[in-house]
């Protein structure tokens, strides 16, 4: 699998974790899934700091493409399935109770979609706590005297 790499700067340290300001690359900004930060081209991430980076350090972050796929399934496919399930349930159950199938399908589809977003929202702290979908700090980038970047671990 291909890993996605981004670069950022540690802006603060909190409880053993690094708060990293990442400037989105062209590949990252097309996704638009995480519109966090002061500007659309920036995002702020709180991630584990296993390399003991300090404020001001430039770091390389890596996110496995499998994790991006799993996060996309949770964010997009789960609500879509809930919508389809709600519409189908509405169409199947409405005639039994004498309701309009189109209206019942629409309302149940919206209700199920809303519930799916509520479930995702309620589970978000669990996902964040485990850092399952967070990038990993893989490298601290040191600046050489000439302004060129040297890899440092």
């Amino acid at each position: 699998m291909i890993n996605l790499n981004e670069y950022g700067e540690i802006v603060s340290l909190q409880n053993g974790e690094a708060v990293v300001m990442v400037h989105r690359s062209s590949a990252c900004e097309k996704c638009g899934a995480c519109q966090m930060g002061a500007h659309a081209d920036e995002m702020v991430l709180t991630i584990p700091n296993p390399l003991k980076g300090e404020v001001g350090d430039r770091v390389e972050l890596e996110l496995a493409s499998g994790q991006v796929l799993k996060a996309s399934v949770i964010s997009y496919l789960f609500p879509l399935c809930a919508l389809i399930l709600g519409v189908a349930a509405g169409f199947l159950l409405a005639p039994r109770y004498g309701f309009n199938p189109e209206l019942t399908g629409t309302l149940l589809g919206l209700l199920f979609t809303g519930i799916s977003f509520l479930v995702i929202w309620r589970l978000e702290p669990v996902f964040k706590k485990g850092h399952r979908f967070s990038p990993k700090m893989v490298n601290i980038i040191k600046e050489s005297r000439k302004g060129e970047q040297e890899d440092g671990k």
Side-chain angles (χ1 to χ4, degrees):
M1 289 226 160
I2 298 173
N3 293 329
L4 306 173
N5 290 18
E6 290 290 333
Y7 299 90
E9 181 177 336
I10 298 176
V11 294
S12 70
L13 300 172
Q14 298 175 352
N15 302 324
E17 296 184 323
V19 178
V20 181
M21 174 74 71
V22 178
H23 296 280
R24 289 187 173 98
S25 66
S26 59
C28 184
E29 65 189 16
K30 290 178 184 170
C31 171
C34 47
Q35 291 293 328
M36 300 177 349
H39 305 287
D41 63 338
E42 296 177 340
M43 63 182 151
V44 178
L45 304 170
T46 303
I47 60 171
N49 188 7
L51 302 179
K52 307 296 183 215
E54 297 177 8
V55 174
D57 284 350
R58 287 189 35 81
V59 293
E60 180 180 4
L61 307 176
E62 182 177 85
L63 184 61
S65 58
Q67 295 304 91
V68 174
L69 184 59
K70 289 176 189 174
S72 297
V73 166
I74 292 169
S75 300
Y76 301 109
L77 196 57
F78 180 59
L80 178 62
C81 289
L83 173 69
I84 292 168
L85 182 65
V87 170
F91 270 88
L92 294 174
L93 295 176
R96 279 189 186 174
Y97 300 102
F99 296 127
N100 179 330
E102 289 84 11
L103 180 60
T104 306
T106 300
L107 293 176
L108 281 181
L110 291 174
L111 177 66
F112 283 26
T113 303
I115 290 170
S116 73
F117 283 122
L118 183 63
V119 168
I120 292 168
W121 176 70
R122 295 287 290 167
L123 289 175
E124 183 181 8
V126 174
F127 296 140
K128 281 186 176 182
K129 184 177 181 183
H131 294 288
R132 292 181 57 202
F133 301 107
S134 296
K136 308 289 184 247
M137 186 185 304
V138 294
N139 198 8
I140 296 176
I141 301 169
K142 306 241 186 226
E143 299 286 333
S144 73
R145 291 184 189 162
K146 296 178 184 178
E148 297 174 353
Q149 296 178 351
E150 296 177 3
D151 290 341
K153 291 189 177 186

